[in-house]
Amino acid sequence: MIYYTKCMKYLFSIVINGLEDLEEPFIQKEGKVVSYQDEDDDQENNGGSVGMVFLSTFVAVCASFEFGSCVGYSAPTQSAVRDDLHLSLAEFSTFGSILTIGAMLGAITSGRIADIVGRKGAMRISACFCITGWLAVYFSNGSLLLDIGRFSTGYGIGVFSYVVPIFIAEIAPRNLRGLLTTLNQLLIVTGSSVAYIIGSIIPWRILALTGLVPCILLLVGLCFVPESPRWLAKVGLDKEFQVALRKLRGKDADITREAAEIQVYIHTLRSLPKASIRDLFKSKYIRSVIIGVSLMVLQQFVGINGIGFYTSETFAQAGLSSGKLGTILYACVQVPITVVGAFLMDKSGRRPLIMISAAGTFLGCFLAGTSFFLKGQNMFLDWVPVLAVGGILIYIAFFSIGFGAVPWVIMSEIFPINIKGVAGSLVVLVNWSGAWAVSYTFNFLMSWSSSGTFFIYSAFSVITVLFVAKFVPETKGKTLEQIQASINKS
């Protein structure tokens, strides 16, 4: 559910200039946009220390955990919040989905904020929005303050979704970048899983207060870690750049070559022509844009944010004696499968992984839809909860293994660097818009037809398999030029 996981109308004229280094908001693959140093640089830095890199990453992924906590909040609390505050179905659907509207705006403005106040400054601002939002949820006595709080946390995680993977990638040495950036996605999943589990045990107001903990850890931890050296170099703070890089690599490390390559990269980035939205529709880019946008649409329209946001009530409607038990099972599946998916990413290739993942989400949705169909026909009622739980667990397992991360990875690989910021803006817009549409309409679709809802999602899974098989190239181990040639000849 957390992929949100991951902007409504892109205020293109405001944002594009601040997103020139946007890789993507949720997961960032190693070395696709920048190559700061050669492999032998890491050998030269053997005398250095990576302790500060690990500490900085630990601090940053507190924000990732907070992201997951925000997204996972609505699933175990739906019935309790509706009962305590007397909310209608429409009011709770607004509460659940308004997070994504805030996240759209956060993601839209994140590039500009991170460029003006730095990566650490952006994380501090985001943490303050999340703290304000959680306190508003805790003190709410009606839908208005509840929605304001949810929107505020959404804005915070929208900024986090951009700045955390960027910060980690910018501080990590090449040989650790892939591992450390993967922690961002893992901590998002862990945060949502923890929210699922403890939300099934404690009251919803207390669960809101637990969301403050990662923010406090983040704010305290940022006092002890350096700013991104690449941002410092980008804004011309050369002395601070050298100090920060030295602090991250260790006092005994030779940073001369890495520092020089960072300066060269920034100079090259500045020399590239500024791309506009119109450039995306040129013949040499349009196929890449279609692939990127389509994958984001399909990722959301297989229903991940609807199923994930309202897991507990879905299990309860299927007749499970305890919807909270199903939510806990759902949470326990996410984390280990996400880890497996990270290992498979570079072994199996992008295309096979996303096709297998989509085939699995089809099976899961089809089983869940069948369970609700049988319930509506009063047939095999003893099997209805089994099919529903089994189907949804199969669904989240297969989604987590590929569908959640692979579209973002492919997006980071198919766009040339000169349009990456603009194209990244567009796909963030599409992804968050889809997240809002699915999370808002889910409860209404379930009221219309529970089985029909899951069959619709299963249909989008089939479309995904066909689309990937026909149009999406394999990007594993290929250069940008090879990827572009593969796209344009298809």
Side-chain angles (χ1 to χ4, degrees):
M1 73 167 282
I2 54 171
Y3 308 91
Y4 337 144
T5 32
K6 353 295 273 270
C7 312
M8 195 173 91
K9 216 163 200 183
Y10 231 135
L11 310 172
F12 294 114
S13 60
I14 299 176
V15 185
I16 298 308
N17 292 333
L19 292 179
E20 66 267 21
D21 55 349
L22 175 63
E23 273 79 44
E24 49 82 18
F26 298 125
I27 187 167
Q28 185 173 4
K29 286 302 290 181
E30 176 179 2
K32 293 302 174 187
V33 181
V34 295
S35 180
Y36 301 118
Q37 61 208 64
D38 297 327
E39 292 292 346
D40 56 347
D41 290 337
D42 297 315
Q43 302 299 322
E44 292 174 11
N45 288 344
N46 281 342
S49 170
V50 294
M52 181 55 70
V53 172
F54 284 118
L55 175 61
S56 300
T57 302
F58 171 79
V59 171
V61 296
C62 288
S64 307
F65 190 93
E66 172 68 10
F67 187 121
S69 300
C70 293
V71 175
Y73 180 79
S74 61
T77 61
Q78 180 173 355
S79 59
V81 171
R82 287 190 65 186
D83 291 344
D84 289 355
L85 300 184
H86 309 291
L87 301 183
S88 66
L89 180 64
E91 287 174 326
F92 190 83
S93 294
T94 300
F95 167 70
S97 63
I98 202 171
L99 176 87
T100 61
I101 297 177
M104 288 180 208
L105 297 178
I108 286 170
T109 57
S110 59
R112 176 67 71 186
I113 293 172
D115 278 348
I116 293 175
V117 301
R119 304 344 184 187
K120 288 173 59 178
M123 284 189 276
R124 288 190 178 103
I125 292 171
S126 303
C128 292
F129 270 96
C130 288
I131 288 172
T132 301
W134 285 124
L135 291 176
V137 170
Y138 177 80
F139 289 110
S140 61
N141 290 309
S143 60
L144 179 59
L145 192 56
L146 196 70
D147 289 344
I148 291 173
R150 185 75 164 163
F151 178 87
S152 182
T153 58
Y155 183 86
I157 68 172
V159 177
F160 282 149
S161 72
Y162 169 80
V163 75
V164 172
I166 291 295
F167 176 76
I168 295 173
E170 288 181 343
I171 65 170
R174 180 186 178 94
N175 63 325
L176 293 176
R177 194 173 302 131
L179 170 65
L180 296 181
T181 52
T182 300
L183 292 178
N184 175 54
Q185 185 67 33
L186 181 60
L187 266 291
I188 292 174
V189 176
T190 303
S192 66
S193 296
V194 170
Y196 280 6
I197 294 170
I198 65 175
S200 302
I201 301 170
I202 64 177
W204 63 272
R205 292 186 191 273
I206 303 302
L207 182 62
L209 292 182
T210 65
L212 301 177
V213 176
C215 294
I216 294 171
L217 291 175
L218 176 66
L219 290 173
V220 173
L222 287 173
C223 298
F224 300 96
V225 301
E227 179 57 270
S228 162
R230 289 168 178 83
W231 178 78
L232 293 170
K234 185 177 179 181
V235 297
L237 298 174
D238 294 333
K239 182 179 179 180
E240 291 83 353
F241 158 64
Q242 294 283 342
V243 171
L245 188 59
R246 172 72 64 193
K247 194 172 184 180
L248 287 164
R249 299 295 178 259
K251 63 180 181 179
D252 297 323
D254 180 6
I255 63 170
T256 306
R257 185 173 181 181
E258 182 179 3
E261 290 193 355
I262 291 173
Q263 296 283 16
V264 169
Y265 167 74
I266 290 172
H267 176 75
T268 302
L269 190 65
R270 286 172 177 165
S271 67
L272 292 172
K274 294 290 184 181
S276 67
I277 288 298
R278 279 192 289 266
D279 292 329
L280 298 182
F281 299 96
K282 293 180 178 179
S283 58
K284 60 182 176 179
Y285 301 136
I286 188 63
R287 288 177 180 262
S288 296
V289 171
I290 290 172
I291 290 171
V293 168
S294 298
L295 286 176
M296 292 303 158
V297 170
L298 293 169
Q299 183 199 53
Q300 291 300 329
F301 278 70
V302 297
I304 184 61
N305 279 301
I307 295 171
F309 275 28
Y310 310 110
T311 305
S312 181
E313 284 300 298
T314 302
F315 283 132
Q317 288 183 41
L320 191 65
S321 57
S322 173
K324 292 182 177 181
L325 174 61
T327 302
I328 292 172
L329 293 174
Y330 182 102
C332 292
V333 167
Q334 285 191 106
V335 177
I337 296 297
T338 300
V339 174
V340 172
F343 282 106
L344 289 177
M345 184 81 68
D346 285 319
K347 293 186 179 296
S348 66
R350 292 20 164 180
R351 271 170 50 95
L353 193 58
I354 198 171
M355 291 171 70
I356 292 170
S357 181
T361 59
F362 162 77
L363 176 61
C365 283
F366 186 81
L367 289 176
T370 300
S371 73
F372 284 108
F373 176 79
L374 293 176
K375 182 182 178 183
Q377 301 299 317
N378 290 316
M379 298 169 58
F380 305 105
L381 295 181
D382 291 340
W383 283 93
V384 167
V386 177
L387 286 174
V389 173
I392 291 176
L393 293 183
I394 289 172
Y395 172 89
I396 189 56
F398 276 93
F399 186 92
S400 297
I401 208 169
F403 218 154
V406 173
W408 292 108
V409 174
I410 291 175
M411 188 276 282
S412 74
E413 296 172 326
I414 62 175
F415 297 126
I417 189 172
N418 61 308
I419 68 161
K420 192 175 288 290
V422 183
S425 303
L426 179 62
V427 296
V428 168
L429 161 65
V430 171
N431 190 267
W432 280 114
S433 297
W436 172 80
V438 171
S439 59
Y440 182 75
T441 59
F442 180 80
N443 283 324
F444 298 106
L445 287 173
M446 290 291 285
S447 297
W448 161 69
S449 172
S450 298
S451 59
T453 301
F454 282 94
F455 288 146
I456 289 172
Y457 295 155
S458 67
F460 276 103
S461 297
V462 173
I463 293 171
T464 300
V465 175
L466 298 176
F467 177 81
V468 173
K470 178 67 176 176
F471 298 107
V472 179
E474 179 55 67
T475 59
K476 173 192 171 187
K478 293 184 178 180
T479 65
L480 176 60
E481 292 75 18
Q482 291 171 329
I483 294 171
Q484 290 300 308
S486 177
I487 291 172
N488 291 326
K489 77 177 182 180
S490 59

